[in-house]
Amino acid sequence: MKFHIELKPKAEKDLKSLSSADRARVVERLRWLEDELRGDVKRLSNHFPEYRMRAGDYRALFEVVGDKVIVYRILHRKESYR
């Protein structure tokens, strides 16, 4: 199944604040999500959004709704689960 990626405004702001190397890594991993949620993806328990994707030291927090992947935040691993 092919998914469409939707970035919320906070996720776009988070992405713009990253260094160019980190931004490139995160964007590459987000493209992996379009194709069958490939990559280092885990379902989180007792947390919203319900999934996380790992890209180096950064985590993209997202949920899946139908054929859309809605990315809420892209944060450093130290800040992502607070």
Side-chain angles (χ1 to χ4, degrees):
M1 178 178 200
K2 196 80 163 158
F3 291 98
H4 302 286
I5 306 294
E6 177 184 324
L7 293 175
K8 291 290 189 179
K10 282 198 174 215
E12 288 179 11
K13 186 177 178 182
D14 293 339
L15 193 60
K16 288 178 184 177
S17 70
L18 300 179
S19 69
S20 60
D22 290 329
R23 186 180 317 124
R25 180 183 302 125
V26 170
V27 168
E28 177 186 355
R29 300 291 165 86
L30 287 174
R31 288 194 179 128
W32 287 6
L33 287 179
E34 290 178 334
D35 187 33
E36 297 292 328
L37 298 179
R38 290 185 312 137
D40 190 358
V41 174
K42 279 191 178 179
R43 185 178 181 113
L44 301 173
S45 60
N46 298 326
H47 197 275
F48 179 82
E50 41 187 58
Y51 292 94
R52 73 99 170 120
M53 178 210 51
R54 187 173 71 99
D57 285 339
Y58 291 89
R59 306 294 184 261
L61 302 173
F62 67 94
E63 71 174 342
V64 178
V65 178
D67 66 342
K68 284 168 111 176
V69 171
I70 303 171
V71 180
Y72 289 94
R73 296 299 306 260
I74 300 169
L75 299 169
H76 192 272
R77 63 187 178 93
K78 290 180 182 178
E79 302 165 355
S80 60
Y81 305 115
R82 292 182 184 179

